[in-house]
C-alpha cells in the first residue's frame, strides 16, 4: 500500500470475478471471496478508490450465483465495476472442457440479459459501471482464437441499447397502441443506443405500435440517459436511466 501511495496511485481495481468460492476454485483464481472482501476493506481504510471486475458465465456458476455475486459486490460499495462475459479461447484449459461438453458458455442473448440486470442493480446502488465486455485485441480476431461464448466486438453497445429499449418500454406502458404519433427526444450522444444496432430497437417499438408514426430527435441540452416522449394528443413523459453519465 505504501508503494502505491508513493507512486500516487489513487484507484485500485480487483479482479474478483465471482464471490462463489466453488466457482473461484474451479477457475483457479488463487483467492476466495473472503480475500476480496478483506482487500476491499483494507484499500478503503487507506483512502483508495476501488473498482471490482465481475464475470458472467463462469464454469460452475448459475444465474442466481451471478446475481448473488452482484449483491455481495454492492455490499462492498466499490466506486466502479467492470462487467465481462466469459468466452472460450483456443489453447486454454476451458477450451478442453468445452470440447468435451463439460462446459456450456452463455448465449449472446443470455450474456446481454445478465449484464443488463447487473447494470440496473449496480446503478440503483450508485455504483458506476465503467466497462461492459472484453477489450477486443488483434489476437482475439484471428481465426480460431475464440471458440465459443458471447463474443461480439460491440458487446457493450448491445447491452446499452438493450437497457435503453427496456426503459423505453417502461416509459410507453401507459400510452395506447393506437396513438397516431410518438415523438422521442434524446441527447445526441444517446441516439445510437436508443435506436439499437441496425435500428433494431426502433423496429421492435414499431411492432408494438404498428400504425403509429415514430419520430426520433436529438435535443440540445437534453441530459444524457434521459428519454422524453410526446404524443399527438399532448401527453408528455420523461424517464431518466440510472447510471448514464
Amino acid at each position: 500500500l505504501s508503494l502505491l501511495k508513493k507512486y500516487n496511485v489513487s484507484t485500485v481495481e480487483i479482479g474478483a470475478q465471482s464471490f462463489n468460492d466453488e466457482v473461484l476454485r474451479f477457475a483457479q483464481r488463487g483467492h476466495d471471496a473472503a480475500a476480496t472482501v478483506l482487500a476491499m476493506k483494507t484499500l478503503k481504510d487507506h483512502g483508495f478508490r476501488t473498482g471490482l471486475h465481475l464475470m458472467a458465465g463462469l464454469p460452475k456458476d448459475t444465474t442466481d450465483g451471478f446475481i448473488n455475486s452482484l449483491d455481495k459486490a454492492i455490499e462492498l460499495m466499490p466506486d466502479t465495476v467492470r462487467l465481462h462475459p466469459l468466452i472460450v479461447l483456443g489453447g486454454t484449459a476451458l477450451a478442453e472442457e468445452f470440447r468435451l461438453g463439460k462446459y456450456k458458455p452463455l448465449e449472446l442473448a443470455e450474456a446481454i440479459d445478465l449484464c443488463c440486470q447487473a447494470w440496473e442493480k449496480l446503478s440503483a446502488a450508485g455504483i458506476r459501471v465503467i466497462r461492459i465486455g472484453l477489450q477486443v485485441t488483434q489476437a482475439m480476431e484471428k481465426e480460431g482464437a475464440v471458440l465459443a461464448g458471447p463474443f461480439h466486438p460491440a458487446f457493450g453497445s448491445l447491452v446499452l441499447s438493450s437497457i435503453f429499449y427496456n426503459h423505453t418500454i417502461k416509459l410507453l406502458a401507459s400510452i395506447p397502441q393506437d396513438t397516431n404519433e410518438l415523438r422521442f427526444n434524446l441527447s445526441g450522444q444517446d441516439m445510437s443506443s436508443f435506436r439499437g444496432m441496425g435500428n433494431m430497437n426502433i423496429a421492435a417499438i414499431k411492432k408494438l405500435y404498428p400504425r403509429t408514426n415514430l419520430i426520433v430527435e436529438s435535443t440540445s441540452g437534453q441530459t444524457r440517459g434521459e428519454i422524453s416522449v410526446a404524443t399527438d394528443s399532448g401527453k408528455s413523459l420523461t424517464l431518466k436511466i440510472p447510471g448514464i453519465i
Side-chain angles (χ1 to χ4, degrees):
L1 293 176
S2 59
L3 187 62
L4 292 174
K5 288 190 175 181
K6 177 181 177 180
Y7 288 99
N8 296 317
V9 175
S10 60
T11 302
V12 179
E13 297 189 18
I14 298 174
Q17 314 309 355
S18 173
F19 284 86
N20 182 315
D21 284 341
E22 180 186 6
V23 171
L24 292 170
R25 280 194 299 271
F26 190 82
Q28 300 180 38
R29 291 294 302 173
H31 68 86
D32 58 12
T36 298
V37 173
L38 177 60
M40 286 289 290
K41 181 179 186 305
T42 302
L43 289 166
K44 283 176 172 287
D45 287 347
H46 285 79
F48 289 94
R49 288 175 55 83
T50 57
L52 282 177
H53 295 211
L54 295 174
M55 188 167 282
L58 282 162
K60 306 293 184 183
D61 208 355
T62 62
T63 297
D64 287 344
F66 178 70
I67 298 302
N68 182 65
S69 288
L70 275 173
D71 291 337
K72 296 289 186 182
I74 290 169
E75 289 176 12
L76 296 175
M77 285 302 293
D79 295 286
T80 61
V81 166
R82 297 178 191 262
L83 301 168
H84 309 293
L86 182 62
I87 60 175
V88 183
L89 298 176
T92 62
L94 187 60
E96 183 63 13
E97 293 284 315
F98 171 71
R99 187 185 69 80
L100 295 172
K102 294 181 179 180
Y103 172 68
K104 183 178 183 296
L106 295 172
E107 298 290 340
L108 181 61
E110 292 176 308
I112 290 172
D113 181 63
L114 280 179
C115 287
C116 283
Q117 291 185 56
W119 175 286
E120 297 293 350
K121 290 177 74 71
L122 292 164
S123 297
I127 299 169
R128 186 182 174 199
V129 179
I130 59 173
R131 184 168 186 86
I132 305 174
L134 299 171
Q135 178 69 45
V136 179
T137 64
Q138 288 185 341
M140 291 167 63
E141 293 178 328
K142 292 180 180 178
E143 186 175 353
V146 178
L147 300 182
F151 178 73
H152 194 287
F155 182 81
S157 295
L158 291 175
V159 172
L160 201 55
S161 67
S162 184
I163 291 168
F164 266 83
Y165 177 75
N166 292 339
H167 281 273
T168 300
I169 295 307
K170 291 178 184 178
L171 186 64
L172 295 175
S174 63
I175 297 179
Q177 290 182 311
D178 60 355
T179 298
N180 292 321
E181 182 179 282
L182 290 173
R183 183 180 296 271
F184 295 96
N185 284 283
L186 304 103
S187 163
Q189 294 174 282
D190 292 333
M191 289 294 282
S192 60
S193 296
F194 178 81
R195 287 184 170 277
M197 192 167 294
N199 275 329
M200 63 182 181
N201 286 354
I202 301 298
I205 295 170
K206 191 65 179 174
K207 284 185 178 180
L208 296 175
Y209 293 84
R211 294 179 295 278
T212 303
N213 182 33
L214 302 183
I215 301 170
V216 182
E217 299 175 326
S218 62
T219 303
S220 177
Q222 184 93 344
T223 302
R224 280 216 63 191
E226 190 173 86
I227 307 171
S228 298
V229 62
T231 70
D232 56 291
S233 63
K235 187 172 186 177
S236 181
L237 298 169
T238 298
L239 178 150
K240 176 69 170 70
I241 302 176
I244 305 289
I245 300 175

